[in-house]
Amino acid sequence: MNNKRYSHSFFLGNAAHFKQKLLRYFAPEQYLVLLESNAAKNTAIDCLVAIGAIDVLRCDGGNAFAKLESFQSQHQDWMFGYLGYDLKNELEQLTSENPDRLGFPDLQFFIPEIVLEMRVDTLLVHTYDEESASFEQIIREVQNQQLTAEENFEIQGSLTANDPKAQYLQKAQAFLEHIQRGDMYEANLCTQFFATDIQLDAIKAYQDLNESSKPPFAAYARFDEHHIISASPERYLKKTGNQLLSQPIKGTAARSKDQATDEQLKQELLQNQKERSENVMIVDLVRNDLSRIAEKGSVEVKELFGLYTFPQVHHMISSIMATLKHGLSGIEAIEATFPMGSMTGAPKISAMKIIEQTESFKRGVYSGAVGYFKPGGDFDFNVVIRTILYNAARTTVSVSVGSAITAAAIPETEYEECLVKVRAMILVLERQGIVFS
């Protein structure tokens, strides 16, 4: 088979409409990834789509990163996929013993048949077909596709909390006791909501969630029976040449429909000492992780306490950059920094051990990363938060959410923050007859 890709450029009239129809057109594909920036600042590509699979890597932890390095070396091509949180066990002396309702492999990547880049009204197609005529026909078929009327879903089932409120508060208190004993000084406590015997329209769920949230790192990813529906606002790690960028989120406030109140909530978040201390702790953790694979003196905080507004919440985001040491690969940079600091804690290994002892579910893809590698090795990955996970074979849906616990944390407040973060996903699921019990 010809292993050379050819690039073909096309003009799109209504890119947003084309994108909506595109997912439906390629819905039968077993492997399909759409990554969307929603016109966020400093993003060159509005949308990146991978269609079909020439080759697939699917494995659990053990030597998953070595397999990924080999897979990349073998193909030297575009790769799309995800890294599950529990790959931590391969990187450190850690385990994952909690129940796993979803059954996603720890790592999945594929080499796509077709890659699409959308920039405003231009479509760039990377394909193995030297002629553009075949894709011109596909574009016409996508554009001429009639969108069906929305289906009215009857009640399918209920979304159940893994940890009822009282249990979550007990777990948060246990974290505080670890902090008081000096076992750690910050950690992310997560909880899961799940539903079984569910038939989810995953594409509709993604489109509804993306429309309501407009996040900069949205993702719809299908790996056969495994679906990831993500409205992530957070970047884990990006590599451009030898430059690395990480943008952890720590600090969240609910929004208000009243403009004056909304502005007040923003300023209160920016001045909240507990939220600021969380942010600084994670920035220090990321700096430490990056220093392991960065040129000496190159790790730099480009933005501290950046305040960003999204449809449901305000977030405090910091940006840390570094120069990758000569001779190290991008995958080695991932190994040194994964899992991301914002979803673990500090000290990192101690926090991950306590998280495993305290939480009631295997995180799996949640708080992992979804993204892509380019043929030259550059990459960009989000943090899998604000995400619906669906295993079509098991007919199981889950939504997980977390909050950072520090010495200043109030368990009740942290629980309320979790409900703010999970609300958008619950509303999307309710539209498909999955009620929150």
Side-chain angles (χ1 to χ4, degrees):
M1 185 183 114
N2 178 15
N3 61 1
K4 178 184 177 182
R5 285 200 189 265
Y6 299 91
S7 297
H8 309 290
S9 182
F10 302 91
F11 173 76
L12 291 177
N14 188 331
H17 210 211
F18 180 82
K19 200 172 357 182
Q20 185 180 21
K21 291 182 174 184
L22 183 75
L23 275 178
R24 285 295 177 198
Y25 183 85
F26 287 107
E29 291 286 350
Q30 287 183 297
Y31 290 85
L32 177 65
V33 171
L34 180 144
L35 307 172
E36 196 164 0
S37 71
N38 287 295
K41 293 180 182 178
N42 304 318
T43 53
I45 302 171
D46 179 51
C47 186
L48 194 59
V49 187
I51 302 161
I54 292 165
D55 198 4
V56 177
L57 173 64
R58 174 187 281 206
C59 62
D60 287 326
N63 60 346
F65 284 104
K67 289 180 179 178
L68 182 61
E69 193 98 53
S70 176
F71 192 68
Q72 184 181 51
S73 177
Q74 174 191 348
H75 291 283
Q76 298 183 29
D77 200 345
W78 291 86
M79 304 194 312
F80 287 72
Y82 70 80
L83 306 159
Y85 171 81
D86 298 279
L87 289 170
K88 66 183 173 58
N89 306 332
E90 177 177 325
L91 301 171
E92 306 291 347
Q93 293 298 310
L94 298 167
T95 60
S96 296
E97 306 294 342
N98 290 322
D100 177 14
R101 288 188 171 86
L102 285 167
F104 281 62
D106 288 335
L107 179 151
Q108 290 197 74
F109 278 84
F110 69 95
I111 308 298
E113 294 176 7
I114 301 168
V115 177
L116 310 181
E117 292 185 60
M118 294 188 210
R119 294 180 172 90
V120 189
D121 56 3
T122 302
L123 176 67
L124 190 62
V125 181
H126 305 287
T127 176
Y128 292 104
D129 192 342
E130 191 172 359
E131 302 298 326
S132 63
S134 60
F135 209 83
E136 287 176 359
Q137 176 62 26
I138 290 174
I139 290 174
R140 285 194 293 271
E141 289 176 5
V142 171
Q143 290 174 328
N144 292 333
Q145 186 181 29
Q146 296 298 313
L147 294 177
T148 57
E150 284 204 5
E151 183 179 350
N152 293 318
F153 290 86
E154 297 180 357
I155 298 298
Q156 290 199 65
S158 60
L159 198 66
T160 304
N162 227 7
D163 302 304
K165 181 178 179 180
Q167 194 169 330
Y168 176 90
L169 297 178
Q170 288 175 359
K171 292 176 184 292
Q173 186 60 44
F175 266 37
L176 285 172
E177 290 168 7
H178 278 290
I179 291 168
Q180 290 158 6
R181 287 200 298 267
D183 301 330
M184 60 182 182
Y185 49 89
E186 188 272 342
N188 200 285
L189 174 61
C190 299
T191 188
Q192 182 188 57
F193 303 85
F194 69 95
T196 56
D197 298 321
I198 298 299
Q199 298 295 326
L200 188 70
D201 183 337
I203 290 175
K204 173 175 166 50
Y206 168 74
Q207 290 173 335
D208 287 350
L209 185 60
N210 187 58
E211 180 62 30
S212 66
S213 302
K214 300 290 187 187
F217 303 106
Y220 170 76
R222 178 182 180 183
F223 304 86
D224 202 356
E225 72 270 32
H226 304 117
H227 299 255
I228 301 170
I229 302 153
S230 181
S232 175
E234 183 172 2
R235 170 180 275 135
Y236 156 48
L237 193 65
K238 179 181 182 181
K239 177 181 177 291
T240 308
N242 63 353
Q243 295 300 301
L244 300 172
L245 171 65
S246 182
Q247 295 181 291
I249 292 177
K250 272 292 168 263
T252 302
R255 297 208 55 192
S256 172
K257 293 180 181 178
D258 178 74
Q259 187 174 348
T261 304
D262 196 52
E263 184 60 33
Q264 181 182 346
L265 290 168
K266 282 173 61 176
Q267 295 308 313
E268 287 174 355
L269 171 61
L270 194 58
Q271 295 162 22
N272 186 304
Q273 288 305 310
K274 184 256 183 187
E275 304 283 13
R276 290 170 74 92
S277 66
E278 281 181 20
N279 198 287
V280 167
M281 288 178 196
I282 297 309
V283 166
D284 284 345
L285 191 157
V286 172
R287 289 172 59 201
N288 182 65
D289 281 350
L290 287 172
S291 69
R292 296 163 62 187
I293 41 81
E295 294 286 359
K296 188 174 180 180
S298 70
V299 180
E300 183 180 356
V301 180
K302 289 292 187 180
E303 182 180 33
L304 187 65
F305 308 139
L307 199 58
Y308 293 79
T309 294
F310 300 92
Q312 288 95 17
V313 294
H314 302 293
H315 276 314
M316 203 144 58
I317 304 175
S318 294
S319 299
I320 307 100
M321 294 196 72
T323 302
L324 184 63
K325 281 181 185 175
H326 180 71
L328 293 184
S329 71
I331 292 175
E332 287 175 302
I334 291 171
E335 288 181 274
T337 56
F338 191 84
M340 58 292 303
S342 61
M343 296 306 294
T344 54
K348 191 173 184 180
I349 296 173
S350 178
M352 287 191 289
K353 288 180 179 177
I354 294 166
I355 286 168
E356 183 65 29
Q357 293 164 8
T358 311
E359 291 180 354
S360 55
F361 70 106
K362 180 182 177 181
R363 288 191 182 181
V365 178
Y366 173 70
S367 68
V370 171
Y372 66 94
F373 290 91
K374 288 185 174 181
D378 286 353
F379 61 75
D380 201 1
F381 284 87
N382 76 2
V383 177
V384 180
I385 53 176
R386 317 297 154 76
T387 296
I388 299 166
L389 299 173
Y390 174 51
N391 186 325
R394 293 192 181 187
T395 63
T396 299
V397 169
S398 88
V399 176
S400 301
V401 67
S403 180
I405 308 295
T406 65
I410 301 168
E412 186 84 28
T413 303
E414 301 303 322
Y415 183 76
E416 293 302 321
E417 181 177 314
C418 287
L419 294 183
V420 168
K421 291 174 177 176
V422 82
R423 179 164 174 73
M425 284 88 76
I426 287 175
L427 290 175
V428 165
L429 293 175
E430 284 179 347
R431 293 184 68 178
Q432 296 200 32
I434 306 163
V435 297
F436 182 46
S437 61

